[in-house]
């Protein structure tokens, strides 16, 4: 197994990494308008739609940031809001805006833009969190106040994903998810989106002339997307690009050896909030809704092999309590264990037997049984298919080549078992602790929404409305027990983030949520001496 080395990000490998606890502004030097930072990514933008294309939205968050962002430790720090307070009852959130943020067309960013962005998202965007619809949002001076009908202490997990957009631009656009524009897009941070070219596969960020914060070094930042991870990595190693980024994912661990052989790049490894799991269609699948079947499958999965092959050793086998050991209020539940013999016995006991002796199990009524596996990761998908087949199950394998295809099949419940990943932001959203991926009353593209159990939904509601402390700790303990006992999903492994570092550039700052593509990093990086 790969020997894991967890480094504190600050001060690693002679990197100048900085911590910002409020507005997140760090000066690197005066801007060099001729300097271009090129980032390779496998996140393809298929259309220039700010609200309609998922990858576009993730890349442009550095140009139209949310109120808050996630720092290198996984904590919330300021972005458009330089500070905030929450009332003791969790119903009133007050945000004071950072005057450094100004729209790139010369218009002042005001609290009315924040109010508009939240209400516009609630009205126009299908994945908007439900609390906005019942909130009262008021403005006064440089302050925005969100008054909630019910207490919500996990609000920050949703706010990090709601970009603040210019009211004077977007108020005339009735259907933002259908709106397509190749740029420019007015932004408020150190950069704005100058252009996005689908044909050349390039998104260009230019320095915002109205930004009042510290100046970034690079006059232009370009994101170049490639058809595959391998192509993006080769572009980086071939000096076409300066670094690599993929939303919600580490650098491909199977390619770390390529960096080890490079004099230009090194790596930083950090514990991650990300993880992988298999979830079940408990809505319309006979096997997916059968708890005994789910428990049997938990023994059929070879977790150590998934770590070694799927993550190249850069991960830890997970526990039945699901959430990673780096998440607050984690408790040590029973480890997930691979035992094929036990899996077979449990499937037999649950009524899934090989009736006719052909090596393939039938359902409880003795009829032919095919289990549909949905995945968008070929390596993990093929391993899981192999494990299910070894347990005597016939598998229909559905590989979705992109996120949209996966979502379409997921939403149609065209699966029994689905392989999925959880991002750092996903771990925090809704009630937090990965609940948003399972709760049936949430919305979101990457979620299974497969648990409508009132006990689970009530638990999620209590978590959302309980402040930090012993009561919340007890609730998260109960949540982990629920995951272990009911298995709406089975955690496969908890990830380690591997970030490639270009040693010709100093000042790297790595966010737990967004990696290197974050405001603090773009203000911090500059050529090494």
């Amino acid at each position: 197994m790969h020997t894991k080395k967890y480094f504190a990000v600050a001060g690693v490998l002679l990197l100048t990494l900085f911590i910002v606890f409020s507005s997140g502004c760090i000066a690197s030097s005066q801007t060099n308008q001729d300097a271009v930072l090129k980032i390779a990514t496998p996140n393809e933008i298929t259309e220039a739609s700010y609200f309609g294309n998922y990858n576009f939205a993730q890349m442009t968050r550095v140009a139209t940031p949310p109120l808050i962002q996630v720092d290198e430790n996984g904590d919330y720090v300021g972005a458009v809001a330089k500070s905030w307070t929450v009332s003791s009852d969790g119903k009133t959130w007050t945000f004071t805006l950072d005057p450094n943020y100004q729209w790139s067309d010369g218009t002042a960013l005001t609290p009315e833009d924040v109010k508009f962005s939240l209400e516009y998202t609630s009205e126009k965007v299908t994945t908007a969190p439900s609390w906005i619809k019942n909130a009262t949002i008021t403005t006064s001076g440089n302050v925005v106040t969100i008054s909630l009908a019910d207490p919500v202490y996990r609000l920050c997990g949703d706010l990090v994903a709601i970009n603040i957009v210019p009211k004077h631009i977007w108020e005339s656009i009735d259907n933002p998810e259908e709106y397509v524009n190749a740029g420019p897009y007015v932004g408020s941070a150190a950069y704005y989106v100058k252009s996005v070219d689908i044909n050349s596969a390039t998104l260009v960020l230019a320095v915002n002339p109205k930004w009042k914060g510290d100046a970034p070094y690079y006059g232009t930042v370009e994101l170049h997307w490639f058809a595959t991870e391998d192509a993006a990595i080769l572009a980086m190693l071939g000096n076409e690009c300066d670094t690599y980024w993929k939303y919600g994912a580490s650098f491909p661990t199977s390619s770390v050896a390529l960096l080890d052989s490079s004099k230009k790049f090194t790596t930083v490894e950090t514990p991650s909030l990300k993880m992988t799991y298999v979830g079940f269609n408990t809505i319309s699948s006979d096997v997916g809704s059968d708890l005994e079947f789910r428990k049997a499958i938990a023994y059929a999965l070879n977790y150590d092999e998934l770590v070694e092959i799927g993550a190249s050793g850069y991960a830890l086998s997970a526990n039945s309590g699901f959430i990673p050991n780096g998440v607050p209020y984690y408790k040590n539940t029973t480890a997930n264990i691979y035992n094929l013999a036990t899996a077979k016995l449990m499937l037999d006991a649950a009524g899934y037997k090989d009736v006719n002796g052909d090596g393939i199990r039938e359902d409880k009524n003795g009829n032919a049984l095919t289990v549909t596996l949905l995945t968008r990761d070929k390596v993990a998908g093929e391993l899981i298919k192999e494990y299910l087949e070894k347990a005597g199950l016939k598998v229909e394998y559905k590989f979705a080549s992109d996120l949209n295809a996966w979502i379409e099949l997921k939403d149609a419940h065209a699966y029994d078992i689905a392989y999925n990943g959880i991002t750092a932001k996903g771990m925090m959203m809704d009630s937090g602790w990965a609940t948003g991926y399972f709760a049936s009353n949430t919305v979101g593209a990457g979620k299974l929404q497969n648990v409508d159990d009132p006990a689970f939904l009530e638990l999620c509601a209590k978590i959302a409305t309980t402040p930090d402390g012993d009561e919340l700790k007890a609730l998260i303990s109960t949540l982990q027990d629920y995951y272990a006992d009911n298995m709406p999903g089975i955690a496969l492994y908890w990830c380690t983030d591997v970030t490639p570092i270009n040693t010709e550039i100093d000042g790297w700052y790595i966010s737990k949520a967004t990696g290197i593509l974050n405001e603090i990093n773009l203000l911090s990086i500059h050529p090494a001496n």
Side-chain angles (χ1 to χ4, degrees), residues 15 243 264-268 499-503 505 508 510 516:
L15 303 177
T243 188
K264 184 176 180 180
F265 293 95
T266 186
T267 60
V268 169
T499 303
I501 297 299
N502 185 329
T503 58
I505 298 173
W508 293 99
I510 305 165
I516 63 164

Side-chain angles (χ1 to χ4, degrees), residues 286-456:
D286 290 338
V287 293
S289 59
D290 184 348
L291 177 58
E292 297 309 312
F293 177 86
R294 301 198 297 269
K295 288 182 175 180
I297 296 305
Y299 283 99
L301 304 173
N302 190 333
Y303 303 99
D304 289 342
E305 187 172 73
L306 282 163
V307 168
E308 287 302 314
I309 298 178
S312 301
Y314 291 86
L316 294 172
S317 297
N319 289 352
S320 59
F322 200 80
I323 65 172
N325 58 358
V327 176
Y329 304 125
Y330 162 85
K331 74 174 184 179
N332 190 23
T333 53
T334 303
N336 289 334
I337 297 172
Y338 171 59
N339 189 317
L340 182 57
T342 298
K344 289 180 177 180
L345 288 173
M346 292 179 70
L347 286 169
D348 285 341
Y352 304 97
K353 300 178 180 180
D354 177 12
V355 177
N356 58 16
D358 64 353
I360 305 297
R361 296 177 183 274
E362 280 73 40
D363 66 15
K364 291 183 177 182
N365 298 316
N367 299 319
L369 172 65
T370 299
V371 174
T372 302
L373 172 65
L374 173 62
T375 181
R376 53 192 175 103
D377 183 296
K378 277 189 175 181
V379 173
E382 289 172 0
L383 285 172
I384 295 166
K385 177 177 180 289
E386 177 185 330
Y387 303 150
L388 296 176
E389 289 174 340
K390 285 182 177 179
L393 296 168
K394 181 179 180 181
V395 179
E396 179 185 2
Y397 182 70
K398 290 186 177 181
F399 172 71
S401 58
D402 58 50
L403 177 60
N404 289 333
W406 187 90
I407 292 169
E408 183 177 348
L409 291 167
K410 181 266 298 184
D411 287 346
H413 298 120
Y415 72 96
D416 297 300
I417 302 173
Y419 171 86
N420 198 14
I422 292 179
T423 65
K425 285 182 182 177
M427 186 64 66
M428 303 169 183
M429 66 188 177
D430 299 300
S431 295
W433 290 273
T435 56
Y437 283 82
F438 301 112
S440 61
N441 57 357
T442 63
V443 293
K447 304 175 180 181
L448 294 185
Q449 300 151 317
N450 61 344
V451 182
D452 57 6
D453 177 4
F456 180 77

